[in-house]
Amino acid sequence: MPFPEQRPRRLRVNENIRRMVRENSLSLNDLVYPVFVCHDSDQAIPIDSMPGICRYSVDRLLRELEEIVKLKIPAILPFGLPAKKDAAGSEAYAEDGIIQKALRAIKKEYPELTVITDLCLCEYTDHGHCGIIQDNYVMNDPTLELLARTAVSHAAAGADMIAPSDMMDGRVDAIRSALDKNGYAGIPVMAYSAKYCSAFYGPFREAADSAPKFGDRKSYQMDPANSEEAIREVRHDLEEGADIVMVKPALAYMDVIRRVKDRFGCPVAAYNVSGEYSMVKAAAQNGWVDEKRIVMEILTGIKRAGADIVITYHAREAAKWLRDET
Ligand code: PBG
């Protein structure tokens, strides 16, 4: 029955009614906060292209995390800046590597905070690619061994969840088997399953000093034009034992988030990446947009698209806004 019987505006008449019929909402429970951690002590180095975000030494990171824990953000995702880089990214799986050091310190101070570790070699290799290089090509199978080794070393240092972001074929299986064999069968894998080769990672590469020194990542990360391929990638990762699958970036890929959620019904994470954050910050700093409203609209939109988990550099501010609303 159309107008005049139907008047959708009746349900928009005031805030109480709008609250009652609201279909989606962002919750504190959905947020994961990525952080950058470096060696030395007393370091808080601002990242120019990501206002509000710093690289912290472990001692300073612990201080920052006090607020994160107080705000009840459930999880963080630390990225490490190694002391030295080499062809095999050996600090990624070193006993005294930056992530291993940070994990031990964080879990000691804040045992209740969930720490998800990004598993990739690009921050640790001198060539900046996500695997072992031969003839300018990233070799898949030799890289799997290093990823598996890194996953086990993260688990041994206290990681609560492992998130492989390298896009090698078969990595979830390799990581799952290695974790299981070493007594970590209870540690979930959150796979960066549909990870696109995106210009939105630009500011992150400054933050993590992880830009490739030659070429690009097109031979392993996905073509932004594809979504059928995302379905295949997600299916492979679930078959290999992924517990949570991720779509990354988020905003240009909302359709992919929705397709994955509808198709598989599994827990889905979306990564609201560095470039997405920086664009909002730049516009807000210029007074061109209302930052709080824009951020809440973006994060709610990612949830509406079908994500259960939203990884975002806005998490700390969003958590404060959510707290102040209630
Ligand atoms: C590591 C990794 C990247 C990001 C997360 N993990 C960079 C890349 O693939 O180049 C990007 C995150 C962001 O832009 O916020 N492979």
Side-chain angles (χ1 to χ4, degrees):
M1 226 182 295
F3 180 84
E5 286 76 8
Q6 291 294 340
R7 290 183 181 270
R9 289 184 57 194
R10 286 180 198 126
L11 298 185
R12 296 181 201 134
V13 70
N14 65 39
E15 182 57 12
N16 279 346
I17 305 267
R18 289 191 294 269
R19 277 170 58 204
M20 290 161 72
V21 299
R22 188 160 291 148
E23 298 175 34
N24 293 283
S25 56
L26 181 70
S27 145
L28 205 52
N29 303 334
D30 310 324
L31 300 174
V32 175
Y33 188 49
V35 296
F36 297 97
V37 56
C38 60
H39 286 285
D40 302 327
S41 59
D42 203 24
Q43 300 288 317
I45 306 155
I47 296 151
D48 289 343
S49 57
M50 300 179 72
I53 305 293
C54 291
R55 295 176 178 181
Y56 294 107
S57 51
V58 175
D59 56 332
R60 291 290 292 267
L61 178 64
L62 292 177
R63 270 200 257 161
E64 294 297 317
L65 293 182
E66 197 183 325
E67 190 186 23
I68 299 302
V69 170
K70 264 207 197 108
L71 284 166
K72 296 201 162 61
I73 293 174
I76 59 164
L77 180 69
F79 292 93
L81 288 121
K84 61 164 180 37
K85 301 184 187 232
D86 57 30
S90 60
E91 197 182 312
Y93 40 87
E95 170 81 23
D96 60 348
I98 181 63
I99 286 296
Q100 289 78 359
K101 262 175 49 180
L103 273 166
R104 286 190 292 264
I106 296 165
K107 292 309 293 186
K108 187 163 168 228
E109 191 95 359
Y110 306 107
E112 72 280 27
L113 179 65
T114 294
V115 185
I116 307 171
T117 52
D118 180 273
L119 176 58
C120 197
L121 298 177
C122 61
E123 295 119 270
Y124 304 91
T125 52
D126 51 13
H127 45 71
H129 278 286
C130 304
I132 296 288
I133 299 283
Q134 199 180 314
D135 300 328
N136 284 348
Y137 187 73
V138 177
M139 302 296 288
N140 196 85
D141 299 10
T143 301
L144 296 182
E145 285 169 39
L146 299 184
L147 292 170
R149 195 166 154 187
T150 307
V152 172
S153 86
H154 286 183
D160 297 292
M161 193 184 294
I162 309 285
S165 71
D166 52 284
M167 288 300 279
M168 296 300 115
D169 296 334
R171 78 264 163 84
V172 174
D173 179 54
I175 292 162
R176 186 70 271 158
S177 315
L179 289 173
D180 292 358
K181 233 180 272 156
N182 287 275
Y184 301 111
I187 297 209
V189 171
M190 176 167 76
Y192 288 70
S193 301
K195 177 170 177 178
Y196 288 88
C197 189
S198 171
F200 285 100
Y201 308 150
F204 174 94
R205 292 182 187 169
E206 180 201 326
D209 186 27
S210 66
K213 296 285 179 297
F214 66 89
D216 53 40
R217 304 210 202 288
K218 288 183 183 163
S219 79
Y220 43 107
Q221 297 181 345
M222 282 180 52
D223 182 338
N226 297 349
S227 81
E228 291 299 333
E229 189 186 2
I231 300 298
R232 292 196 296 275
E233 283 281 4
V234 167
R235 182 183 302 117
H236 294 156
D237 284 359
L238 289 171
E239 284 171 0
E240 290 176 31
D243 301 280
I244 301 172
V245 295
M246 194 197 299
V247 176
K248 178 184 172 194
L251 295 185
Y253 303 90
M254 296 282 218
D255 58 319
V256 179
I257 298 172
R258 170 49 58 196
R259 285 194 70 183
V260 167
K261 189 65 185 175
D262 285 348
R263 182 73 160 253
F264 299 102
C266 61
V268 176
Y271 199 142
N272 175 219
V273 300
S274 57
E276 297 172 334
Y277 173 86
S278 300
M279 291 194 309
V280 168
K281 282 285 176 185
Q285 284 184 347
N286 276 293
W288 295 337
V289 296
D290 176 334
E291 181 171 357
K292 177 180 167 183
R293 287 191 59 202
I294 284 270
V295 168
M296 293 313 244
E297 186 173 334
I298 285 174
L299 300 182
T300 306
I302 295 171
K303 292 254 357 238
R304 192 196 63 244
D308 304 284
I309 298 168
V310 185
I311 303 165
T312 179
Y313 304 94
H314 297 293
R316 186 198 290 232
E317 280 158 314
K320 286 186 200 161
W321 293 325
L322 287 167
R323 178 196 60 193
D324 296 343
E325 264 170 27
T326 50

